[in-house]
């Protein structure tokens, strides 16, 4: 089985390993796969068309995504404070 992840350049690539983090393309946010906010959005529908996955945080940040304030509050504060 292969998985589609986003690379540091923001382009999709095939991986034999699933992503460790999920993201929302429209908001350019990444977070944990068990994030309560993301799970609510998925349950409400309309979110999955814009869902992306990353191998790690460094890749998500390099692709221009920011940490989720809900599931990664410490990293979000660091990002926000620059």
């Amino acid at each position: 089985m292969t998985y589609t992840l986003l690379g540091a350049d923001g382009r999709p690539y095939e991986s034999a390993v699933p992503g460790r983090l999920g993201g929302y393309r429209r908001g350019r946010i990444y977070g944990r796969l068990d994030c309560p906010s993301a799970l609510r959005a998925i349950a409400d529908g309309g979110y999955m068309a814009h869902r992306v996955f990353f191998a790690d945080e460094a890749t998500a940040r390099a692709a221009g995504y920011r940490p989720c304030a809900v599931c990664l509050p410490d990293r979000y504060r660091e990002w926000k404070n620059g």
Side-chain angles (χ1 to χ4, degrees):
M1 174 174 230
T2 61
Y3 302 90
T4 302
L5 307 181
L6 283 189
D9 61 0
R11 293 182 176 199
Y13 70 94
E14 298 298 315
S15 171
V17 180
R20 292 183 39 236
L21 299 166
Y24 179 55
R25 187 183 308 273
R26 286 184 142 178
R28 300 190 67 82
I29 299 169
Y30 73 89
R32 295 187 337 236
L33 296 177
D34 64 346
C35 175
S37 181
L39 294 176
R40 274 192 305 276
I42 290 167
D44 290 343
Y47 182 84
M48 291 306 292
H50 304 284
R51 186 88 162 131
V52 294
F53 298 93
F54 297 98
D56 54 44
E57 282 191 74
T59 303
R61 286 189 180 208
Y65 285 67
R66 70 158 176 87
C68 174
V70 175
C71 67
L72 299 171
D74 294 337
R75 288 180 182 85
Y76 174 76
R77 276 192 297 278
E78 289 171 12
W79 170 83
K80 189 167 181 165
N81 293 329

